[in-house]
Amino acid sequence: MSVLILNKKPKPSKKKMVEVRAVKDPKRIELDARRTLKQITEPIQEELELIIQGMRDKSPKQIGDELERTRQNADFRISIIAEDLATKWVQGVNLYNRQEMMKILRGALGIDIGAIVDEQLKRDLQVLIMENASYIKSIPDYLIGNVAKRVMQHFKGEPLPENRTLRQQIKEEFKVSDGRAKVLARDQTAKMNTSLTQKRQEQLGIEWYVWKTVEDEHVVGTPGGKYPKGTKLHRNHYIMQDKVCKWADPTVYSDDGGKTWKKRLQEMPQNAPGQDIMCRCRAAPYIDIEKLKVKWSE
């Protein structure tokens, strides 16, 4: 049964291949995830504050035992809700990604893919849920572990960073934990969106994409920007702007719309846009219109 519906006659084009806009990251979902993670960390921080306040009359062992009980209790509480929170997070990104992909194809090409086979994505969605549940579950160990380390340094008489008092250092650990949660919300939301974009494009028969940066000073490799020499992890994203790439083979790119393929240079990223940590680059579908019509009209 055909799932291709022409809502309007596509504008005539001499180009066989057409670039359409990329699916942006869902900022509302990212903010929701950030708020959720904050709601998880705040009660733990409050419990830790109380332990630190009552340290004066307790031995190192007593404090260590209290920290361990706090960790175990937090682990238990979060383990109960982690999968549900991760499921809501992943499903939100998935729904957004599907709607945006449909909207992009409909608006740019007059094509309405009425039945993207989400059945094929079930396994991928489950993997994303379990992955993000594990990140959520790691929150107590990370936060309480860092606090415990500083408490033990204090008991041993070791200086804390920048000669802070223990109370000051614990507040710094809370800031680090909050920052990590913020990065986690943004990074994982982007990675999920990128992963689902790739899966859906490949399902639809879209084999190529155009690499798009946000074109600001934070793009890794930008001359005169924050990271002009690139980084060991990201390498150089600046030079990938407008290059055509293949989903199936991330080791090559094209400067001429896919006519001539080249092996990537040493300074170029090895991952697709959005897959490196905190990467804001996106993959704009690069479509063979006639081939897509044939595929979905069969």
Side-chain angles (χ1 to χ4, degrees):
M1 179 179 69
S2 170
V3 292
L4 179 145
I5 303 168
L6 293 180
N7 296 320
K8 60 183 180 181
K9 186 176 180 180
K11 295 179 181 179
S13 174
K14 295 181 180 179
K15 297 181 179 179
K16 181 182 178 183
M17 304 293 292
V18 174
E19 174 191 333
V20 298
R21 71 177 176 87
V23 177
K24 295 181 180 179
D25 288 334
K27 289 298 178 183
R28 180 187 61 77
I29 296 174
E30 176 194 325
L31 291 174
D32 285 346
R34 191 186 304 178
R35 282 192 288 267
T36 297
L37 296 178
K38 187 173 180 62
Q39 289 169 358
I40 289 174
T41 57
E42 281 183 340
I44 300 173
Q45 291 177 353
E46 290 171 3
E47 291 178 47
L48 293 172
E49 281 275 16
L50 291 174
I51 292 173
I52 300 305
Q53 289 173 11
M55 277 183 58
R56 180 175 298 177
D57 301 322
K58 295 178 182 177
S59 68
K61 184 180 185 310
Q62 288 175 314
I63 297 300
D65 288 344
E66 287 187 18
L67 289 171
E68 179 58 20
R69 281 195 297 272
T70 300
R71 185 191 65 77
Q72 290 179 359
N73 291 336
D75 279 346
F76 178 73
R77 293 196 307 268
I78 293 172
S79 68
I80 295 173
I81 62 174
E83 189 168 339
D84 286 342
L85 293 176
T87 298
K88 182 179 178 182
W89 191 0
V90 171
Q91 287 179 343
V93 176
N94 180 48
L95 178 61
Y96 166 87
N97 183 273
R98 187 182 194 278
Q99 291 174 338
E100 284 297 297
M101 186 71 72
M102 303 266 281
K103 188 190 302 181
I104 288 167
L105 294 174
R106 201 161 46 229
L109 306 173
I111 293 175
D112 189 354
I113 303 298
I116 298 177
V117 189
D118 284 336
E119 186 72 24
Q120 297 178 34
L121 283 176
K122 279 189 175 181
R123 181 183 177 86
D124 300 289
L125 292 173
Q126 192 59 45
V127 170
L128 290 174
I129 288 169
M130 300 313 295
E131 180 179 49
N132 284 280
S134 70
Y135 286 131
I136 292 171
K137 291 176 184 178
S138 73
I139 289 173
D141 286 347
Y142 179 84
L143 173 55
I144 298 172
N146 283 351
V147 169
K149 175 183 175 182
R150 299 308 185 186
V151 169
M152 291 306 110
Q153 281 184 273
H154 170 76
F155 277 127
K156 290 190 290 185
E158 296 177 357
L160 296 170
E162 299 182 19
N163 292 317
R164 298 187 186 105
T165 65
L166 180 60
R167 294 289 297 278
Q168 290 172 334
Q169 184 60 41
I170 297 306
K171 290 186 181 297
E172 286 299 313
E173 298 303 334
F174 289 172
K175 288 180 184 178
V176 170
S177 178
D178 291 342
R180 181 173 180 265
K182 181 178 178 180
V183 168
L184 178 62
R186 177 177 161 185
D187 189 55
Q188 288 305 306
T189 300
K191 280 184 168 61
M192 283 188 270
N193 191 44
T194 297
S195 175
L196 292 169
T197 293
Q198 177 177 355
K199 296 292 183 182
R200 285 202 161 91
Q201 286 190 23
E202 290 180 326
Q203 278 185 24
L204 294 172
I206 301 171
E207 303 173 79
W208 302 277
Y209 62 87
V210 181
W211 188 298
K212 293 292 182 181
T213 73
V214 294
E215 299 186 79
D216 65 15
E217 64 178 359
H218 293 280
V219 175
V220 177
T222 301
K226 295 288 186 181
Y227 315 100
K229 294 183 180 180
T231 66
K232 185 176 180 180
L233 179 63
H234 293 79
R235 300 193 181 183
N236 191 327
H237 288 197
Y238 171 80
I239 57 178
M240 295 304 294
Q241 174 70 14
D242 289 330
K243 285 182 167 54
V244 177
C245 304
K246 279 186 177 179
W247 284 118
D249 187 353
T251 65
V252 296
Y253 73 94
S254 173
D255 283 319
D256 56 8
K259 296 174 184 176
T260 305
W261 294 97
K262 306 173 184 178
K263 287 290 179 182
R264 287 192 173 180
L265 301 175
Q266 188 65 32
E267 62 181 320
M268 293 182 176
Q270 298 300 298
N271 296 320
Q275 292 181 347
D276 289 329
I277 185 168
M278 298 297 279
C279 174
R280 299 167 299 152
C281 300
R282 296 294 160 255
Y286 194 56
I287 301 172
D288 184 326
I289 300 177
E290 295 306 317
K291 182 177 179 180
L292 193 67
K293 287 181 182 178
V294 170
K295 176 179 175 66
W296 290 99
S297 296
E298 292 175 348

